[in-house]
Amino acid sequence: PQKTKLMFPRGLALDTSSSHHRLFISNTWSYCIDVVEFGNDGSITTKLFAGVPDDEGGDKVNVPLTQAQFHYPQGLVYHPQLHSLFVADSWNKSVKQIDEKRGIVTQLVKLTKAEPHYLALVGDDLFISCWRPHVIMKVDIHTDNMKVIAGQERGRKGGGFRDGPGNIAEFS
């Protein structure tokens, strides 16, 4: 298996659905996703999962896992029923889906203004925390329907602090 240099790991996601557990790592400054596999026999294997190590700035999608390109991947979350890993591809301003069954990386959503950083999954709703602007978005992973649920896209530069309902709240 191809090994990568771990540089600035920003996101972790755990898959406990298979016979052996796996820990996915967004290897941010190496521009790829690594996986640590924990065997039932106590063995531990670390290898490249997706992306082209040290290939800065690419945005290649709809390609096999090892040909995909990321630009500062950060937050990760795994969906065991879909056998998919979702990646906040920060500087590409997108969220990508790594579909293990099909063996490809696709773009789930492209954000026009925001840089996604962290992800959370509740059922089939993907929550995305974004920087510039400081908002929380919700995406239905089957329909790609996306909306801002907290913060303001038009908020002050650098965000702010304001309590209130989702459409009025501001984050810094």
Side-chain angles (χ1 to χ4, degrees):
Q2 183 175 358
K3 302 243 182 202
T4 61
K5 184 176 181 182
L6 191 60
M7 294 181 61
F8 202 55
R10 291 288 296 211
L12 301 173
L14 189 61
D15 170 23
T16 59
S17 65
S18 60
S19 61
H20 59 278
H21 298 318
R22 300 182 300 167
L23 177 67
F24 297 98
I25 304 168
S26 63
N27 196 344
T28 302
W29 285 1
S30 287
Y31 313 101
C32 60
I33 309 299
D34 293 332
V35 63
V36 178
E37 296 179 344
F38 301 92
N40 294 330
D41 60 358
S43 63
I44 298 174
T45 306
T46 303
K47 62 184 177 181
L48 174 68
F49 180 70
V52 180
D54 303 320
D55 189 9
E56 180 180 359
D59 193 18
K60 201 183 262 188
V61 291
N62 300 318
V63 295
L65 276 60
T66 57
Q67 294 176 18
Q69 292 176 313
F70 301 94
H71 198 177
Y72 294 115
Q74 297 206 38
L76 303 174
V77 68
Y78 189 77
H79 193 301
Q81 288 78 28
L82 296 180
H83 302 281
S84 288
L85 181 71
F86 294 92
V87 180
D89 194 4
S90 189
W91 281 22
N92 281 323
K93 297 182 179 179
S94 67
V95 174
K96 293 179 179 168
Q97 180 177 357
I98 300 174
D99 184 329
E100 288 190 277
K101 282 186 176 180
R102 295 181 11 206
I104 63 169
V105 177
T106 59
Q107 183 171 274
L108 178 68
V109 292
K110 182 74 169 177
L111 307 171
T112 56
K113 300 176 186 176
E115 293 177 15
H117 279 246
Y118 300 104
L119 305 174
L121 189 64
V122 178
D124 290 335
D125 290 327
L126 181 67
F127 295 86
I128 308 166
S129 74
C130 298
W131 184 59
R132 292 191 213 172
H134 305 272
V135 297
I136 307 297
M137 296 182 162
K138 177 180 161 185
V139 178
D140 180 308
I141 61 173
H142 296 294
T143 65
D144 301 343
N145 184 21
M146 179 173 52
K147 66 180 179 178
V148 174
I149 62 166
Q152 297 183 31
E153 287 188 272
R154 64 187 185 286
R156 294 179 295 224
K157 186 175 182 178
F161 295 105
R162 186 185 304 170
D163 291 336
N167 64 338
I168 292 178
E170 289 185 358
F171 305 101
S172 191

